[in-house]
Coordinates of all heavy atoms in Angstrom, one line a residue:
Y324 N 25.1 1.9 14.4 CA 25.1 3.0 13.4 C 25.7 2.5 12.1 O 25.1 2.5 11.0 CB 25.8 4.2 13.8 CG 26.0 5.2 12.8 CD1 25.0 6.0 12.2 CD2 27.4 5.4 12.4 CE1 25.3 6.9 11.3 CE2 27.6 6.4 11.4 CZ 26.6 7.1 10.8 OH 26.9 8.0 9.9
H325 N 26.9 1.9 12.2 CA 27.5 1.4 11.0 C 26.9 0.2 10.4 O 26.8 0.0 9.2 CB 29.0 1.2 11.3 CG 29.8 2.4 11.6 ND1 30.1 3.4 10.6 CD2 30.3 2.8 12.7 CE1 30.8 4.3 11.2 NE2 31.0 4.0 12.4
W326 N 26.3 -0.7 11.3 CA 25.6 -1.8 10.8 C 24.4 -1.4 10.0 O 24.1 -2.0 9.0 CB 25.2 -2.7 12.0 CG 24.7 -4.0 11.7 CD1 25.5 -5.2 11.5 CD2 23.3 -4.4 11.5 NE1 24.6 -6.3 11.2 CE2 23.3 -5.8 11.2 CE3 22.1 -3.7 11.5 CZ2 22.2 -6.5 11.0 CZ3 20.9 -4.5 11.3 CH2 21.0 -5.8 11.0
L327 N 23.7 -0.4 10.5 CA 22.5 0.1 9.8 C 22.8 0.7 8.5 O 22.1 0.6 7.5 CB 21.6 1.0 10.7 CG 20.9 0.4 11.9 CD1 20.4 1.4 12.8 CD2 19.9 -0.6 11.4
L328 N 23.9 1.6 8.5 CA 24.3 2.2 7.2 C 24.6 1.2 6.1 O 24.3 1.4 5.0 CB 25.5 3.1 7.5 CG 25.3 4.5 7.9 CD1 26.7 5.2 8.0 CD2 24.4 5.3 7.0
D329 N 25.2 0.1 6.5 CA 25.6 -1.0 5.6 C 24.4 -1.8 5.2 O 24.6 -2.6 4.2 CB 26.6 -1.9 6.2 CG 28.0 -1.1 6.3 OD1 28.2 -0.1 5.7 OD2 28.8 -1.6 7.2
R330 N 23.3 -1.7 5.8 CA 22.1 -2.6 5.6 C 20.8 -1.8 5.4 O 20.0 -1.8 6.3 CB 22.0 -3.7 6.7 CG 23.2 -4.6 6.7 CD 23.3 -5.4 8.0 NE 24.4 -6.3 8.0 CZ 25.7 -5.9 8.3 NH1 25.9 -4.6 8.6 NH2 26.6 -6.7 8.3
P331 N 20.8 -1.0 4.3 CA 19.5 -0.1 4.2 C 18.2 -0.9 4.1 O 17.2 -0.3 4.2 CB 19.9 0.7 2.9 CG 20.9 -0.2 2.2 CD 21.7 -0.8 3.2
E332 N 18.3 -2.2 3.8 CA 17.1 -3.0 3.7 C 16.5 -3.3 5.1 O 15.3 -3.7 5.2 CB 17.4 -4.3 3.0 CG 18.1 -5.4 3.8 CD 19.7 -5.2 3.9 OE1 20.1 -4.1 3.4 OE2 20.4 -6.1 4.3
V333 N 17.2 -3.0 6.2 CA 16.7 -3.3 7.5 C 15.8 -2.0 7.9 O 16.2 -0.9 7.7 CB 17.8 -3.4 8.6 CG1 17.2 -3.5 9.9 CG2 18.6 -4.7 8.2
L334 N 14.6 -2.3 8.3 CA 13.7 -1.3 8.7 C 13.9 -0.8 10.1 O 14.3 -1.5 10.9 CB 12.2 -1.8 8.5 CG 11.8 -2.4 7.2 CD1 10.4 -3.0 7.3 CD2 11.9 -1.4 6.1
T335 N 13.7 0.6 10.3 CA 14.0 1.1 11.6 C 12.8 2.0 12.1 O 12.9 2.3 13.3 CB 15.2 2.1 11.6 OG1 15.0 3.2 10.7 CG2 16.5 1.3 11.1
G336 N 11.9 2.3 11.3 CA 10.8 3.2 11.8 C 11.3 4.5 12.3 O 10.7 5.1 13.2
D337 N 12.5 5.0 11.7 CA 13.1 6.3 12.2 C 13.4 6.2 13.7 O 13.5 7.3 14.3 CB 12.2 7.4 11.8 CG 12.0 7.6 10.3 OD1 13.0 7.5 9.6 OD2 10.9 7.8 9.8
S338 N 13.6 5.1 14.2 CA 13.9 5.0 15.7 C 15.3 5.6 16.1 O 15.5 6.0 17.2 CB 13.9 3.6 16.2 OG 12.6 3.1 16.1
F339 N 16.2 5.5 15.1 CA 17.6 5.8 15.5 C 18.2 7.1 15.0 O 19.4 7.1 14.7 CB 18.5 4.6 15.1 CG 18.1 3.3 15.8 CD1 17.3 2.4 15.1 CD2 18.4 3.0 17.1 CE1 16.9 1.2 15.6 CE2 18.0 1.8 17.7 CZ 17.3 0.9 17.0
F340 N 17.4 8.1 14.8 CA 17.9 9.3 14.2 C 18.9 10.0 15.0 O 19.7 10.8 14.6 CB 16.8 10.3 13.7 CG 15.8 10.7 14.8 CD1 16.2 11.9 15.5 CD2 14.7 10.1 15.1 CE1 15.3 12.4 16.5 CE2 13.9 10.5 16.1 CZ 14.2 11.7 16.8
H341 N 18.9 9.7 16.4 CA 19.9 10.3 17.2 C 21.4 9.8 16.8 O 22.3 10.5 17.1 CB 19.7 10.0 18.7 CG 19.8 8.5 19.1 ND1 19.1 7.5 18.6 CD2 20.7 8.0 20.0 CE1 19.5 6.4 19.1 NE2 20.5 6.6 19.9
L342 N 21.4 8.6 16.2 CA 22.7 8.1 15.8 C 23.3 8.8 14.6 O 24.5 8.7 14.3 CB 22.6 6.6 15.4 CG 22.2 5.7 16.5 CD1 22.2 4.2 16.0 CD2 23.1 5.8 17.7
S343 N 22.5 9.6 13.8 CA 23.0 10.3 12.7 C 24.0 11.4 13.0 O 24.7 11.9 12.1 CB 21.8 10.9 11.9 OG 20.9 9.9 11.4
A344 N 24.1 11.7 14.3 CA 25.1 12.7 14.7 C 26.5 12.1 14.5 O 27.5 12.9 14.5 CB 25.0 13.1 16.2
L345 N 26.6 10.8 14.3 CA 28.0 10.2 14.1 C 28.5 10.4 12.7 O 29.7 10.1 12.5 CB 27.8 8.7 14.4 CG 27.6 8.3 15.8 CD1 27.2 6.8 16.0 CD2 28.9 8.6 16.7
G346 N 27.7 10.9 11.8 CA 28.2 11.1 10.4 C 27.0 11.1 9.4 O 26.1 11.9 9.6
E347 N 27.1 10.3 8.4 CA 26.1 10.3 7.4 C 24.7 9.9 7.9 O 24.6 9.0 8.7 CB 26.5 9.2 6.3 CG 25.5 9.1 5.2 CD 25.9 7.9 4.3 OE1 27.0 7.4 4.4 OE2 25.0 7.5 3.4
P348 N 23.7 10.7 7.6 CA 22.4 10.5 8.2 C 21.9 9.1 7.8 O 22.1 8.6 6.7 CB 21.5 11.6 7.7 CG 22.4 12.6 7.3 CD 23.7 12.0 6.9
L349 N 21.2 8.4 8.7 CA 20.5 7.2 8.4 C 19.3 7.5 7.5 O 18.8 8.5 7.5 CB 20.1 6.5 9.7 CG 21.2 6.0 10.6 CD1 20.6 5.5 12.0 CD2 22.0 4.8 10.0
P350 N 18.9 6.5 6.7 CA 17.7 6.7 5.9 C 16.5 7.0 6.7 O 16.4 6.5 7.8 CB 17.6 5.4 5.1 CG 19.0 4.8 5.2 CD 19.5 5.2 6.5
G351 N 15.6 7.8 6.2 CA 14.4 8.1 6.9 C 14.1 9.5 7.2 O 14.9 10.4 6.7
L352 N 13.1 9.8 8.0 CA 12.6 11.2 8.3 C 13.7 11.9 9.2 O 13.9 13.1 9.1 CB 11.3 11.1 9.0 CG 10.6 12.4 9.4 CD1 10.5 13.3 8.1 CD2 9.3 12.2 10.1
N353 N 14.2 11.2 10.2 CA 15.3 11.7 11.0 C 14.9 12.9 11.8 O 15.6 13.9 11.9 CB 16.6 12.0 10.2 CG 17.4 10.7 10.0 OD1 17.5 9.9 10.9 ND2 18.0 10.6 8.9
L354 N 13.7 12.9 12.3 CA 13.3 13.9 13.3 C 12.1 13.3 14.2 O 11.5 12.3 13.7 CB 12.9 15.3 12.7 CG 11.7 15.3 11.7 CD1 10.4 15.5 12.5 CD2 11.9 16.5 10.8
C355 N 11.9 13.9 15.3 CA 10.7 13.4 16.1 C 9.4 13.9 15.5 O 9.2 15.0 15.2 CB 10.9 14.1 17.5 SG 9.4 13.7 18.6
G356 N 8.6 12.9 15.1 CA 7.4 13.2 14.5 C 6.1 13.2 15.4 O 5.0 13.3 14.9
A357 N 6.4 13.3 16.7 CA 5.3 13.2 17.7 C 4.4 14.4 17.6 O 4.8 15.6 17.6 CB 5.9 13.2 19.1
G358 N 3.1 14.1 17.3 CA 2.1 15.2 17.2 C 2.2 15.9 15.9 O 1.5 16.9 15.6
R359 N 3.2 15.6 15.0 CA 3.4 16.3 13.8 C 2.9 15.4 12.6 O 2.2 15.8 11.7 CB 4.9 16.6 13.6 CG 5.4 17.6 14.6 CD 6.9 17.7 14.5 NE 7.5 18.8 15.4 CZ 8.5 18.6 16.1 NH1 9.1 17.4 16.3 NH2 8.9 19.6 16.9
V360 N 3.5 14.1 12.6 CA 3.1 13.2 11.6 C 2.6 11.9 12.1 O 2.1 11.0 11.4 CB 4.3 12.9 10.6 CG1 4.6 14.2 9.8 CG2 5.5 12.4 11.3
V361 N 2.8 11.6 13.4 CA 2.3 10.4 14.1 C 1.7 10.8 15.4 O 1.9 11.9 16.0 CB 3.5 9.4 14.3 CG1 4.1 9.0 13.0 CG2 4.6 10.0 15.2
C362 N 1.0 9.8 16.0 CA 0.4 9.9 17.4 C 0.0 8.5 17.8 O 0.2 7.5 17.1 CB -0.7 10.9 17.4 SG -2.2 10.4 16.5
L363 N -0.6 8.5 18.9 CA -1.1 7.2 19.5 C -2.5 7.3 20.0 O -2.9 8.3 20.6 CB -0.2 6.8 20.7 CG -0.8 5.6 21.6 CD1 -0.5 4.3 20.9 CD2 -0.3 5.7 23.0
I364 N -3.3 6.3 19.7 CA -4.6 6.2 20.3 C -4.5 5.0 21.2 O -4.1 3.9 20.8 CB -5.8 6.0 19.3 CG1 -5.9 7.1 18.3 CG2 -7.1 5.8 19.9 CD1 -6.8 6.9 17.1
D365 N -4.9 5.1 22.5 CA -4.8 4.0 23.4 C -6.1 3.3 23.5 O -7.1 3.7 22.9 CB -4.3 4.5 24.8 CG -5.4 5.0 25.7 OD1 -6.5 5.3 25.3 OD2 -5.1 5.2 26.9
P366 N -6.2 2.2 24.2 CA -7.4 1.3 24.2 C -8.7 2.1 24.7 O -9.8 1.6 24.2 CB -7.1 0.2 25.2 CG -5.6 0.1 25.1 CD -5.1 1.5 25.0
V367 N -8.6 3.1 25.4 CA -9.8 3.8 25.9 C -10.1 5.1 25.1 O -10.9 5.9 25.4 CB -9.7 4.1 27.4 CG1 -9.6 2.9 28.3 CG2 -8.6 5.1 27.7
G368 N -9.3 5.2 24.0 CA -9.5 6.4 23.1 C -8.7 7.6 23.4 O -8.8 8.6 22.7
D369 N -7.9 7.6 24.4 CA -7.0 8.7 24.7 C -6.0 8.9 23.6 O -5.4 7.9 23.1 CB -6.3 8.6 26.0 CG -7.2 8.9 27.2 OD1 -8.2 9.6 27.0 OD2 -6.9 8.4 28.3
V370 N -5.7 10.1 23.2 CA -4.8 10.4 22.1 C -3.5 11.0 22.7 O -3.6 12.1 23.3 CB -5.4 11.3 21.1 CG1 -4.4 11.6 19.9 CG2 -6.7 10.7 20.5
Y371 N -2.4 10.4 22.5 CA -1.1 10.9 23.0 C -0.2 11.2 21.8 O -0.4 10.8 20.7 CB -0.4 9.8 23.8 CG -1.1 9.4 25.1 CD1 -2.0 8.4 25.1 CD2 -0.8 10.1 26.3 CE1 -2.7 8.1 26.3 CE2 -1.4 9.8 27.5 CZ -2.4 8.8 27.5 OH -3.0 8.5 28.7
A372 N 0.8 12.1 22.1 CA 1.7 12.6 21.0 C 2.4 11.5 20.3 O 2.6 11.6 19.1 CB 2.7 13.6 21.6
C373 N 2.8 10.5 21.0 CA 3.5 9.3 20.3 C 3.3 8.1 21.2 O 3.0 8.2 22.3 CB 4.9 9.7 20.0 SG 6.1 9.3 21.3
P374 N 3.7 6.9 20.6 CA 3.5 5.6 21.5 C 4.4 5.6 22.6 O 4.2 4.7 23.5 CB 3.9 4.6 20.4 CG 3.7 5.2 19.1 CD 4.1 6.6 19.3
F375 N 5.4 6.4 22.7 CA 6.5 6.3 23.7 C 6.2 7.3 24.9 O 7.0 7.2 25.9 CB 7.8 6.5 23.1 CG 8.1 5.7 21.9 CD1 8.3 6.4 20.7 CD2 8.0 4.4 21.9 CE1 8.5 5.7 19.5 CE2 8.2 3.6 20.7 CZ 8.4 4.3 19.5
V376 N 5.2 8.1 24.8 CA 4.9 9.0 25.9 C 3.5 8.9 26.4 O 2.7 9.9 26.4 CB 5.2 10.5 25.5 CG1 6.7 10.8 25.4 CG2 4.6 10.9 24.2
I377 N 3.2 7.7 26.9 CA 1.9 7.5 27.5 C 1.9 8.1 28.9 O 2.2 7.4 29.9 CB 1.5 6.0 27.5 CG1 1.5 5.5 26.1 CG2 0.1 5.9 28.1 CD1 1.2 4.0 26.0
H378 N 1.7 9.4 29.0 CA 1.8 10.2 30.2 C 0.8 11.3 30.1 O 0.6 11.9 29.0 CB 3.2 10.6 30.5 CG 3.4 11.2 31.9 ND1 3.1 12.5 32.2 CD2 3.9 10.7 33.0 CE1 3.4 12.8 33.4 NE2 3.9 11.6 34.0
D379 N 0.3 11.7 31.3 CA -0.7 12.8 31.2 C -0.2 14.1 30.6 O -1.0 14.9 30.0 CB -1.2 13.1 32.6 CG -2.1 12.0 33.2 OD1 -2.6 11.2 32.4 OD2 -2.3 12.0 34.4
E380 N 1.1 14.4 30.7 CA 1.6 15.6 30.1 C 1.6 15.6 28.6 O 1.7 16.7 28.0 CB 3.1 15.8 30.6 CG 3.2 16.3 32.0 CD 4.5 17.0 32.3 OE1 5.1 17.6 31.3 OE2 4.9 16.9 33.5
F381 N 1.4 14.4 28.0 CA 1.3 14.3 26.5 C 0.0 13.8 26.0 O -0.1 13.3 24.9 CB 2.5 13.5 26.1 CG 3.9 14.0 26.4 CD1 4.5 13.6 27.6 CD2 4.4 15.0 25.6 CE1 5.7 14.2 27.9 CE2 5.7 15.6 25.9 CZ 6.3 15.2 27.1
L382 N -1.0 14.0 26.9 CA -2.4 13.6 26.5 C -3.0 14.8 25.8 O -3.2 15.8 26.4 CB -3.1 13.2 27.7 CG -4.6 12.8 27.5 CD1 -4.8 11.7 26.6 CD2 -5.3 12.5 28.9
A383 N -3.4 14.6 24.5 CA -4.0 15.6 23.7 C -5.5 15.7 23.7 O -6.1 16.7 23.4 CB -3.5 15.5 22.3
G384 N -6.2 14.6 24.1 CA -7.6 14.6 24.0 C -8.1 13.1 23.9 O -7.3 12.2 24.1
N385 N -9.3 12.9 23.6 CA -9.9 11.6 23.5 C -10.8 11.5 22.2 O -11.5 12.5 21.9 CB -10.7 11.2 24.7 CG -11.1 9.8 24.8 OD1 -12.0 9.3 24.1 ND2 -10.4 9.0 25.6
V386 N -10.8 10.4 21.6 CA -11.6 10.2 20.3 C -13.1 10.3 20.7 O -13.9 10.5 19.8 CB -11.3 8.9 19.6 CG1 -9.8 8.9 19.2 CG2 -11.6 7.7 20.4
R387 N -13.5 10.1 22.0 CA -14.9 10.2 22.4 C -15.3 11.7 22.6 O -16.5 11.9 22.8 CB -15.1 9.4 23.7 CG -15.1 7.9 23.4 CD -15.0 7.1 24.7 NE -15.3 5.7 24.6 CZ -14.8 4.8 25.4 NH1 -14.0 5.1 26.4 NH2 -15.1 3.5 25.2
D388 N -14.3 12.6 22.6 CA -14.7 14.0 22.7 C -15.4 14.5 21.5 O -15.3 13.9 20.5 CB -13.4 14.8 23.0 CG -12.7 14.5 24.3 OD1 -13.3 13.9 25.2 OD2 -11.5 14.7 24.4
P389 N -16.2 15.6 21.7 CA -16.8 16.3 20.5 C -15.7 16.5 19.4 O -14.7 17.1 19.7 CB -17.4 17.5 21.0 CG -17.6 17.3 22.5 CD -16.5 16.4 22.9
G390 N -16.1 16.2 18.2 CA -15.2 16.4 17.1 C -14.3 15.2 16.8 O -13.6 15.2 15.8
G391 N -14.2 14.2 17.8 CA -13.5 13.0 17.6 C -12.0 13.2 17.4 O -11.4 14.2 17.8
F392 N -11.4 12.2 16.8 CA -10.0 12.2 16.6 C -9.6 13.4 15.7 O -8.5 14.0 16.0 CB -9.5 10.9 15.9 CG -8.1 11.0 15.5 CD1 -7.1 10.8 16.4 CD2 -7.7 11.2 14.2 CE1 -5.7 10.8 16.1 CE2 -6.4 11.3 13.8 CZ -5.4 11.1 14.8
T393 N -10.3 13.8 14.7 CA -10.0 14.8 13.8 C -9.8 16.1 14.6 O -8.8 16.9 14.3 CB -11.0 15.0 12.7 OG1 -11.3 13.8 12.0 CG2 -10.6 16.1 11.7
S394 N -10.6 16.4 15.5 CA -10.5 17.7 16.3 C -9.3 17.6 17.2 O -8.6 18.6 17.3 CB -11.8 17.8 17.1 OG -11.7 19.0 17.9
V395 N -9.0 16.4 17.8 CA -7.8 16.3 18.6 C -6.6 16.6 17.7 O -5.7 17.4 18.1 CB -7.8 14.9 19.2 CG1 -6.4 14.8 20.0 CG2 -8.9 14.7 20.2

Side-chain angles (χ1 to χ4, degrees):
Y324 166 73
H325 292 291
W326 191 88
L327 290 172
L328 271 184
D329 292 341
R330 294 163 182 82
E332 75 276 13
V333 174
L334 306 176
T335 65
D337 295 315
S338 292
F339 299 102
F340 60 91
H341 70 296
L342 298 182
S343 293
L345 289 168
E347 179 184 348
L349 294 171
L352 182 58
N353 279 324
L354 64 84
C355 174
R359 297 169 171 133
V360 296
V361 298
C362 66
L363 167 82
I364 301 175
D365 86 346
V367 301
D369 283 337
V370 181
Y371 294 89
C373 88
F375 313 117
V376 285
I377 304 178
H378 189 280
D379 289 345
E380 285 202 31
F381 298 94
L382 176 60
N385 190 286
V386 300
R387 288 167 167 153
D388 295 338
F392 173 79
T393 303
S394 178
V395 176

